[in-house]
Structure formats: structure tokens, C-alpha cells
Amino acid sequence: MRIEAWTCRPIDVEAWPLEVCERILSSDELDRANRFIRQADAERFRASHAALRLWLGERLEMPPADLKFAVTGPADKPMLDALPWRFSLSHTDSHWAAAVGECAVGIDIECLDRFAGRKDGLARMILSTAEREAWSQLKEPCATHVLAQFWTRKEALLKAIGTGLHRSMASVSVGCEPGPVTLRASDAEGRPGWWTLNDLPGLPSGLAGALTRQRGGLHPPATKCADALIREACTP
């Protein structure tokens, strides 16, 4: 199954002035942007979603403005209406990343600064007991990097299965060993399946990220060796 990722492109607000965004974005997207209190946040929202439409349109050979989105599941996961393709979007500070594929996908990027300094309260909220015990033995700056790795892996997985943060991060274990990681999890409809999780390589300094995609079938894959397709797709 094909999957592509566009990882950590800067959000170029100047490249997407309001008049251009108004020609590409839906009325709902424009309304959501207008609800931001800070103008800078509204501009980043419009720019990242306009760029996403352009990127998806190029890959699906459709005009960006013609793409229609719907939501599904308890977390209102966005999807392409009436199309078999699935996508995922993440942005943090001034960067964004996206993935699109013929299977369920989830992508997440975060700034490492958010996890710096012993975030014990955050660790208790997002880590399983075994993960928390392993993390507590780490020293800085490794502890910051690994906590961010846990967060991005888990959010990418929860996005892919369609629950988002409606499901507790602590309820899933993803480990911190080098990827790819293959694990079993049920989607938002309760259907069990196998998922492959990769850390995003080649990110700008100060960022962490992960990509999850669904594997076919309910049985474990025959091998856990590197998934070349995702690795190549994640290369900036």
C-alpha cells in the first residue's frame, strides 16, 4: 500500500496571503481560523491547511479547492470525503508535517522544548508503568528526547487508529527502542489490527516526530525488519 509523508516543512505565512487562502480553503476552515485569538495562530492555521490542500491535490491530481473533508470516529478524525485515501496533519510552532496513504495513517511532530526539564507529571500522564520506570532512569538531555519520542509515537498511533487523545496515552505501550516498531492495537471501532510505527528521520534540530501506518490483516507480520517504503517516504 502506498504511503507518502511530507515532513517538517516551515509554515511560510507570507506565501499564503489571506486572498489566496480564501480561494483554496473551505468556509469551515476559514471560520476555524477566525476563532483563534492570536492573529499569528490564525495565519499559521490558514497557511498550513492551504499548503496541505495543495500537497494532497498534487498527489491525488485534484484541484486543491475541490477536496472535500469529513470527520469520523469519537475524535472527529478528518478524512477525505468519498475518496479511499487517508491523511494526517501535525504542526508545532513554525513547522508542519503530513502523511497520506491507502491505509490508515497518523503523524505527529513536537518541539523538544515542551519536554525539557524533569516533566514527571507529564510522564505519569502519558507513560505506562513499565515505560515510566525506564524513563525515570534517564538523565538529561536523553530524558527530554525520549519523553518527546514517547509522546510523538503515541499521538501518531492514536491518530492512526482514530481515537486521538480521547484514548489515554498511558493505555498504549510503544517502547523507545529504534524503529520500526510493530504493535497490535484496536481502532476506534474496536477492530484489532497491526500497526507499524517509525520515528521521523532527518528532522530539524529541536523537533521530534513519528509516523504510524496500518498493516494489512490481523496476524503479526512475518518480519520486523525496516519498512523501506516508509523510511524512503519520511526522507525530507
Side-chain angles (χ1 to χ4, degrees):
M1 290 181 287
R2 277 203 300 156
I3 179 171
E4 292 186 56
W6 191 3
T7 56
C8 289
R9 306 290 174 168
I11 299 175
D12 187 357
V13 173
E14 294 183 359
W16 297 98
L18 179 59
E19 60 270 20
V20 173
C21 292
E22 288 178 336
R23 293 198 299 268
I24 295 177
L25 299 179
S26 68
S27 58
D28 178 66
E29 288 168 317
L30 293 171
D31 288 342
R32 288 170 62 191
N34 290 334
R35 290 198 290 268
F36 282 97
I37 296 175
R38 296 176 62 243
Q39 180 65 23
D41 292 335
E43 291 175 348
R44 279 197 292 267
F45 179 93
R46 286 193 294 262
S48 62
H49 283 72
L52 172 68
R53 279 181 171 271
L54 179 64
W55 183 69
L56 289 173
E58 288 177 347
R59 275 139 190 82
L60 305 181
E61 299 181 348
M62 294 180 62
D66 289 353
L67 293 171
K68 298 186 183 300
F69 299 97
V71 295
T72 184
D76 291 337
K77 178 179 173 63
M79 59 179 292
L80 289 161
D81 194 21
L83 291 173
W85 292 81
R86 308 294 180 86
F87 79 96
S88 181
L89 171 68
S90 178
H91 48 80
T92 182
D93 194 17
S94 60
H95 287 82
W96 71 283
V100 61
E102 297 173 295
C103 59
V105 294
I107 198 168
D108 187 54
I109 55 169
E110 301 290 344
C111 291
L112 291 177
D113 287 348
R114 176 184 177 188
F115 305 91
R118 303 301 301 191
K119 301 289 188 180
D120 296 301
L122 182 61
R124 286 193 296 272
M125 182 180 73
I126 71 172
L127 302 183
S128 67
T129 300
E131 290 170 339
R132 191 165 63 250
E133 290 176 354
W135 176 81
S136 67
Q137 306 302 313
L138 302 177
K139 296 181 179 180
E140 293 295 349
C142 185
T144 292
H145 176 78
V146 171
L147 191 59
Q149 184 182 46
F150 274 126
W151 179 285
T152 56
R153 285 184 173 194
K154 293 189 178 204
E155 182 155 354
L157 173 64
L158 296 180
K159 284 182 175 181
I161 66 178
T163 65
L165 297 182
H166 287 267
R167 180 172 176 179
S168 167
M169 282 190 172
S171 69
V172 296
S173 294
V174 295
C176 59
E177 67 274 13
V181 175
T182 299
L183 49 85
R184 183 182 171 99
S186 297
D187 65 15
E189 306 299 325
R191 296 170 297 200
W194 290 93
W195 306 80
T196 296
L197 188 155
N198 288 73
D199 298 314
L200 295 174
L203 299 184
S205 177
L207 293 176
L211 172 68
T212 298
R213 64 103 163 176
Q214 188 175 25
R215 301 191 71 108
L218 299 179
H219 301 288
T223 177
K224 290 187 178 181
C225 66
D227 187 326
L229 180 61
I230 290 185
R231 186 171 63 249
E232 292 171 3
C234 290
T235 301

